[in-house]
């Protein structure tokens, strides 16, 4: 289905309460869900403005075959979105016929309301909040290219490179076709909010990963050196796995687990596109991965990014701004799983460093989980004091919680996020010093569970784009 038809169908479904916006977008079978989601959100945000313009231009009276939801999406794209730029299919000539009148009606509406910007036409609740100001972060995949080459590519495409950001103000001031290098991560580019790069050739070729800055912190802080063995306990869809592989330079081993077969299939596609060759994906419950299994005897690094409420996710904040108290029962169940997973991860005998992260804003899923795990093994692990200049710290609910990092649109211009780095106090007795300082590069023998394991490079043939 074409983008505009898919967006109209989702919009109609939301208005007739057939499901949530997110559910309808994911159930639509439209391939680029992010693009579809963004278009429907924006059309919805401007809904009353679009209704007014369409009515005063007499569009539906003149074009009897044009359904109201499709009209709304098309007029949004024409007047407030990106324009049709070669798209629009059979609707483009129709819109061309009405373009002048629609533009004039929008201009008249602004004059009547005494405003000059489109956004000033929005009611209070639809005005963009901090979440919509978060820039587009783009991680350069160093397995395939380097920041310098990516910067040159964008410059050749007419983007203006502003150098390395030195403050949040530099990022806030980004506009138009300007972009920056992030102040913290040398492989992270920063573009103005709403820059859509989903169809960019470098993204399509796996040279770029569209990943929020906060979600780059876990792999960066885990910092496994090339050659090490790493567990990515809850890996799908695989953005952090591919970041880990880039840090490893594809040398060493990532054991990546996830329970969800569909999400694992997308992970395999993402990793293959990103050129990851050091990862073994397994459809497996991490809680059932045995720490005494010889395959994991050299695992010194674990990234644990478990399922969470997602309350910090930008898409959620844009769709349901200010949603109140979460369902307490669900929150308790999530926190219980997170605690079990963290405690389990800390039992891997050679483990030296672990990063725990969520995209949740709730203390129950963050500081409380970390505190409970540390209380279980107080002498063995401690919170590592990381990124002292990071402005947003863990809630002071226990001594040392300030070593945890939080992130939000308001404080760090990123999605809402939580990260804690736990490190072993002493080198474990089960791993010799030699083994600890020089991780073996040769992979362990392949596991027997052939049916459930696959190398990251072998994405399922049913996946598109392979
Ligand atoms: C927040 S997502 C992980 C995102 C991922 N780290 C990334 O950066 O792309 C959480 C994942 O945990 C998986 N999961 C939930 N319970 C699990 C379990 N017991 N074992 C392994 N994976 C699990 C979910 O299927 C989901 O894909």
């Amino acid at each position: 289905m074409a983008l505009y038809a898919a967006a109209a169908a989702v919009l109609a479904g939301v208005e007739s309460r057939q499901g949530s916006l997110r559910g309808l977008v994911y159930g639509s079978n439209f391939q680029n869900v992010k693009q579809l989601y963004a278009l429907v959100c924006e059309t919805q945000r401007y809904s009353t403005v679009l209704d007014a313009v369409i009515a005063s231009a007499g569009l539906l009276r003149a074009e009897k075959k044009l359904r109201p939801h499709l009209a709304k999406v098309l007029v949004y794209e024409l007047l407030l979105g990106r324009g049709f730029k070669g798209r629009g299919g059979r609707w483009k000539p129709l819109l061309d016929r009405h373009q002048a009148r629609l533009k004039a009606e929008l201009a008249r509406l602004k004059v009547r309301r005494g405003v000059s910007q489109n956004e000033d036409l929005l009611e209070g609740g639809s005005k963009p909040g901090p979440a919509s100001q978060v820039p587009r972060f783009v991680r350069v995949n160093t397995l395939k290219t380097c920041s310098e080459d990516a910067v040159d590519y964008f410059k050749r495409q007419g983007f203006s490179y502003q150098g390395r950001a030195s403050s949040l103000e530099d990022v806030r001031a980004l506009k138009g076709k300007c972009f920056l290098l992030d102040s913290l991560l040398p492989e992270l580019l920063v573009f103005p909010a709403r820059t859509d790069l989903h169809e960019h050739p470098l993204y399509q070729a796996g040279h770029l990963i569209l990943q929020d800055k906060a979600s780059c912190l876990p792999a960066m802080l885990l910092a496994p050196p090339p050659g090490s063995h790493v567990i990515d306990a809850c890996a799908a869809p695989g953005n952090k796995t591919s970041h880990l592989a880039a840090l490893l330079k594809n040398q060493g081993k990532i054991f990546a687990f996830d329970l969800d077969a569909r999400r694992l299939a997308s992970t395999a596609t993402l990793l293959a596109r990103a050129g990851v060759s050091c990862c073994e994906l397994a459809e497996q419950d991490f809680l059932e991965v045995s720490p005494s299994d010889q395959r994991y005897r050299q695992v010194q690094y674990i990234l644990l990014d478990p399922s969470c409420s997602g309350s910090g996710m930008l898409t959620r904040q844009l769709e349901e701004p200010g949603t109140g108290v979460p369902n307490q029962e669900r929150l308790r169940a999530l926190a219980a799983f997170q605690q079990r997973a963290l405690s389990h991860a800390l039992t891997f005998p050679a483990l030296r460093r672990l990063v725990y992260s969520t995209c949740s804003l709730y203390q129950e899923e963050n500081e409380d989980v970390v505190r409970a795990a540390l209380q279980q093994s107080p002498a063995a692990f401690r919170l590592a004091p990381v990124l002292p200049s990071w402005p947003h710290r863990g809630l002071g609910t226990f001594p040392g919680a300030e070593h945890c990092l939080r992130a939000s649109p308001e404080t760090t211009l990123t999605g809402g996020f939580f990260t804690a780095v736990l490190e072993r106090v002493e080198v474990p007795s089960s791993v010799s010093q030699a083994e600890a300082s020089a991780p073996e590069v040769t992979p362990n023998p392949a596991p027997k569970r052939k049916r459930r394991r696959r190398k990251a490079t072998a994405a399922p043939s049913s996946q598109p784009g392979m």
Side-chain angles (χ1 to χ4, degrees):
M1 198 190 280
L3 173 65
Y4 302 122
V10 172
L11 207 54
V14 172
E15 284 181 13
S16 57
R17 300 188 181 277
Q18 283 166 26
S20 69
L21 173 51
R22 179 183 307 275
L24 291 166
V25 165
Y26 277 91
S28 70
N29 286 333
F30 187 76
Q31 213 181 343
N32 190 340
V33 285
K34 285 191 177 164
Q35 188 185 29
L36 177 59
Y37 188 88
L39 179 59
V40 179
C41 279
E42 283 301 284
T43 306
Q44 244 190 347
R45 209 157 69 89
Y46 279 97
S47 184
T48 53
V49 174
L50 294 165
D51 283 340
V53 170
I54 289 170
S56 46
L59 181 65
L60 296 176
R61 278 196 307 280
E63 301 292 344
K64 297 268 185 286
K65 287 194 179 149
L66 184 59
R67 310 307 306 155
H69 291 106
L70 182 58
K72 221 181 220 182
V73 172
L74 293 171
V75 174
Y76 167 79
E77 191 73 313
L78 175 74
L79 298 183
L80 306 161
R82 299 181 305 174
F84 290 107
K85 290 190 195 145
R87 291 180 302 208
R90 68 194 175 105
W91 299 110
K92 183 150 186 326
L94 181 151
L95 265 290
D96 283 346
R97 280 202 299 280
H98 293 273
Q99 181 166 182
R101 180 79 195 273
L102 288 163
K103 285 188 171 162
E105 290 303 335
L106 178 65
R108 228 169 263 147
L109 188 65
K110 284 197 219 166
V111 172
R112 271 206 307 277
R113 298 208 189 156
V115 299
S116 58
Q117 304 290 322
N118 293 335
E119 283 195 339
D120 296 335
L121 288 168
L122 294 171
E123 310 295 326
S126 309
K127 286 233 167 91
S132 65
Q133 315 293 318
V134 170
R136 155 64 65 206
F137 289 101
V138 177
R139 181 167 61 77
V140 175
N141 176 14
T142 52
L143 289 177
K144 288 209 157 177
T145 183
C146 60
S147 295
E148 291 74 24
D149 287 357
V151 165
D152 282 347
Y153 194 102
F154 280 108
K155 284 193 335 202
R156 284 199 301 277
Q157 286 196 315
F159 285 85
S160 164
Y161 179 54
Q162 312 280 295
R164 192 169 176 170
S166 56
S167 68
L168 277 182
E169 286 323 305
D170 288 350
V171 177
R172 257 192 208 104
L174 266 183
K175 276 205 187 78
K177 290 194 92 180
C178 295
F179 72 111
L180 291 160
L181 195 61
D182 181 65
S183 53
L184 184 63
L185 288 107
E187 70 279 20
L188 196 65
L189 307 179
V190 195
F191 290 82
R194 290 163 210 246
T195 307
D196 186 359
L197 296 172
H198 287 93
E199 281 164 28
H200 194 279
L202 290 186
Y203 168 69
Q204 304 266 344
H207 290 222
L208 303 178
I209 313 280
L210 305 180
Q211 188 174 358
D212 185 55
K213 174 172 175 170
S215 128
C216 294
L217 294 178
M220 183 198 103
L221 292 171
L222 191 62
S228 28
H229 286 196
V230 183
I231 283 181
D232 189 351
C234 296
N239 281 329
K240 297 183 190 74
T241 323
S242 82
H243 193 183
L244 288 170
L247 295 169
L248 290 177
K249 300 187 167 53
N250 261 340
Q251 296 161 27
K253 189 94 175 159
I254 303 173
F255 300 97
F257 303 102
D258 206 284
L259 275 180
D260 187 320
R262 251 182 76 190
R263 286 167 66 90
L264 264 183
S266 334
T267 310
T269 306
L270 185 150
L271 297 183
R273 192 163 67 176
V276 173
S277 60
C278 63
C279 178
E280 199 174 280
L281 283 180
E283 184 187 328
Q284 199 171 336
D285 183 344
F286 172 63
L287 297 175
E288 286 174 12
V289 176
S290 169
S292 56
D293 187 321
Q294 282 304 293
R295 274 174 296 196
Y296 313 123
R297 71 181 189 283
Q298 294 176 58
V299 170
Q300 296 180 345
Y301 300 88
I302 295 184
L303 194 154
L304 175 61
D305 184 42
S307 294
C308 70
S309 62
S311 52
M313 282 168 71
L314 287 173
T315 45
R316 198 150 301 178
Q317 293 186 30
L318 289 166
E319 185 189 344
E320 310 159 62
T323 39
V325 187
N327 174 334
Q328 283 302 313
E329 203 180 317
R330 176 166 152 73
L331 199 53
R332 260 198 300 275
L334 284 166
F337 163 66
Q338 292 152 357
Q339 272 179 26
R340 281 185 68 197
L342 182 51
S343 300
H344 180 64
L346 294 179
T347 62
F348 280 74
L351 180 68
R352 308 186 85 183
R353 198 170 171 89
L354 175 146
V355 171
Y356 173 78
S357 60
T358 73
C359 53
S360 162
L361 305 173
Y362 298 116
Q363 180 189 322
E364 291 90 329
E365 299 182 87
N366 297 327
E367 288 85 355
D368 290 359
V369 172
V370 171
R371 174 166 60 175
L374 288 173
Q375 274 171 354
Q376 275 176 10
S377 44
F381 288 92
R382 66 173 169 225
L383 275 168
V386 291
L387 298 185
S389 59
W390 187 261
H392 193 171
R393 318 297 304 189
L395 304 175
T397 54
F398 65 94
E402 71 281 1
H403 295 322
C404 302
L405 307 178
R406 279 182 165 256
S408 70
E410 293 83 359
T411 56
T412 51
L413 282 179
T414 64
F417 209 77
F418 175 87
T419 310
V421 183
L422 281 72
E423 62 187 11
R424 195 182 282 278
V425 177
E426 308 258 336
V427 172
S429 54
S430 54
V431 64
S432 73
Q433 273 299 342
E435 218 174 3
S437 55
E440 210 181 285
V441 177
T442 327
N444 287 328
K448 293 281 172 237
R449 305 166 60 107
K450 271 244 154 52
R451 191 179 61 80
R452 299 187 133 215
R453 288 176 183 278
R454 48 185 175 245
K455 287 285 278 183
T457 43
S461 53
S462 60
Q463 285 300 304
M466 286 300 302

